Amino acid sequence: MALTALLLFVGLAILLAAGDMLVRGAAGLARIANIPPLIVGLTVVAFGTSAPELVVTIQAVSEGAAGIAVGNIVGSNIANILMVLGLPAILAPIALNIPKLERHAVALLLATALFCGLIYRSGSIGTFEAMLFSGGMVLYFAQMVSEARSGGSDMTAEVEELAPEKPRLTPTLLFLITGLVGLPIGATLLVDNGSSLAKMLGIRDEIIGLTVVAFGTSLPELATVLAAAMKKQSSVVAGSIIGSNIFNMLFVGAAAGFAGTSVFTDAALRIDLPMMIAATAIITGMIFIKKDITRLIGCGFIAIYTGYIIYLATAGLI
């Protein structure tokens, strides 16, 4: 069991490192081709940062471990709101009174309603659901393009952080190739050993997806927000966390449906989805009333998330 757990974490580490390299390599290649930073941000950066979740989902569904895939999507959304926004708020309050953030909050509510509504209707994600998720993703992407063109979203700084203005071709290609090779290797180690560990512990696959995988794939966002909080700039990433959750449900959810059929267990429908809905309702409600995430609220978020993880770890739900 110890070796299985170790290989699972090794796979997670490879997955995260490869995902970062892929985005940096792709962004650098786009810069070499003189593609405008705005387009790079809307495509390479926006979609590329979901690469770890995407590859894990496809790998899990194709290997018959759909529980890990659905647990990853739902668990990442829960972790993004309660942990990624809660922990940095303890260092510095996160302001939610940001121009046009309400539009993204509305998009998040609609995406959550579509995602959960279809799942409660059929109990699974298949081709039909994937097609509707893809349609929702197209609409959200159109909103992003419209907002960026109107000057409401400047992605130049984010692109410059990932790739300098004049990147060199050789290291750029090395990043890209390493990322492309590393992602499936990391995903295979993660899914295979995660599924094996779930069987050894006698728990459902979703718990591995909801805890280890979801927590791990949320680490890059957490690192970004923590760094911003230390610079007293954590409020600027609230929109990216909202966007990340929308991508998880629509983009990664669509990939799960096209890769195969992912069935949600009764426990997932009774516990995990309601938890995601509740977390989403809390953050969107705070955005609409322009309530900052204070240190006290951040502590509350962390307490709720910790309690949820402890419950999953001890309940032994099958």
Side-chain angles (χ1 to χ4, degrees):
M1 183 181 293
L3 179 60
T4 300
L6 176 62
L7 289 174
L8 185 152
F9 284 107
V10 168
L12 180 61
I14 293 174
L15 186 77
L16 295 179
D20 181 67
M21 289 182 181
L22 176 65
V23 175
R24 291 181 183 277
L29 199 60
R31 297 277 277 182
I32 291 173
N34 291 320
I35 297 175
L38 175 61
I39 302 301
V40 178
L42 286 171
T43 55
V44 174
V45 176
F47 288 94
T49 50
S50 294
E53 290 91 340
L54 178 67
V55 177
V56 166
T57 295
I58 294 175
Q59 185 78 21
V61 174
S62 63
E63 292 190 9
I68 291 179
V70 299
N72 179 34
I73 295 172
V74 176
S76 291
N77 278 20
I78 295 170
N80 278 349
I81 294 172
L82 299 179
M83 180 186 70
V84 176
L85 290 179
L87 191 58
I90 299 175
L91 299 177
I94 299 177
L96 296 179
N97 186 16
I98 304 171
K100 300 185 179 180
L101 185 58
E102 289 182 355
R103 295 185 183 180
H104 292 274
V106 171
L108 177 60
L109 283 176
L110 292 174
T112 303
L114 176 65
F115 184 82
C116 295
L118 288 175
I119 289 172
Y120 277 119
R121 169 184 170 274
S122 62
S124 63
I125 300 177
T127 304
F128 174 73
E129 289 78 15
M131 292 175 64
L132 292 180
F133 292 161
S134 297
M137 189 67 244
V138 169
L139 292 176
Y140 181 61
F141 185 69
Q143 176 186 329
M144 291 173 61
V145 172
S146 175
E147 185 175 310
R149 284 179 175 174
S150 66
S153 178
D154 183 11
M155 297 186 173
T156 301
E158 187 174 3
V159 173
E160 288 179 347
E161 182 180 345
L162 290 169
E165 187 174 349
K166 295 181 180 180
R168 291 182 296 166
L169 181 60
T170 300
T172 295
L173 289 176
L174 186 60
F175 271 128
L176 187 63
I177 294 171
T178 303
L180 289 172
V181 172
L183 276 173
I185 293 175
T188 299
L189 284 171
L190 186 65
V191 171
D192 289 351
N193 291 283
S195 182
S196 297
L197 189 61
K199 289 184 175 72
M200 292 177 187
L201 295 173
I203 59 177
R204 56 191 174 102
D205 283 351
E206 286 99 326
I207 292 182
I208 299 296
L210 287 161
T211 55
V212 178
V213 180
F215 181 86
T217 53
S218 292
L219 285 179
E221 288 92 341
L222 178 61
T224 299
V225 181
L226 280 173
M230 298 170 99
K231 299 176 184 177
K232 308 297 182 182
Q233 298 174 340
S234 55
S235 60
V236 300
V237 297
S240 67
I241 296 301
I242 299 298
S244 177
N245 279 18
I246 294 173
F247 268 65
N248 281 341
M249 289 183 288
L250 301 183
F251 182 49
V252 181
F258 286 127
T261 300
S262 301
V263 179
F264 282 71
T265 62
D266 180 63
L269 296 174
R270 287 187 295 105
I271 300 166
D272 307 323
L273 276 180
M275 186 67 182
M276 186 184 79
I277 293 171
T280 300
I282 290 171
I283 193 63
T284 52
M286 292 179 65
I287 291 173
F288 290 137
I289 66 174
K290 304 185 187 305
K291 174 66 175 178
D292 296 347
I293 305 177
T294 62
R295 288 183 174 87
L296 182 59
I297 293 175
C299 288
F301 278 10
I302 294 301
I304 294 171
Y305 185 69
T306 301
Y308 172 65
I309 295 301
I310 291 174
Y311 177 78
L312 289 179
T314 58
L317 295 171
I318 305 297

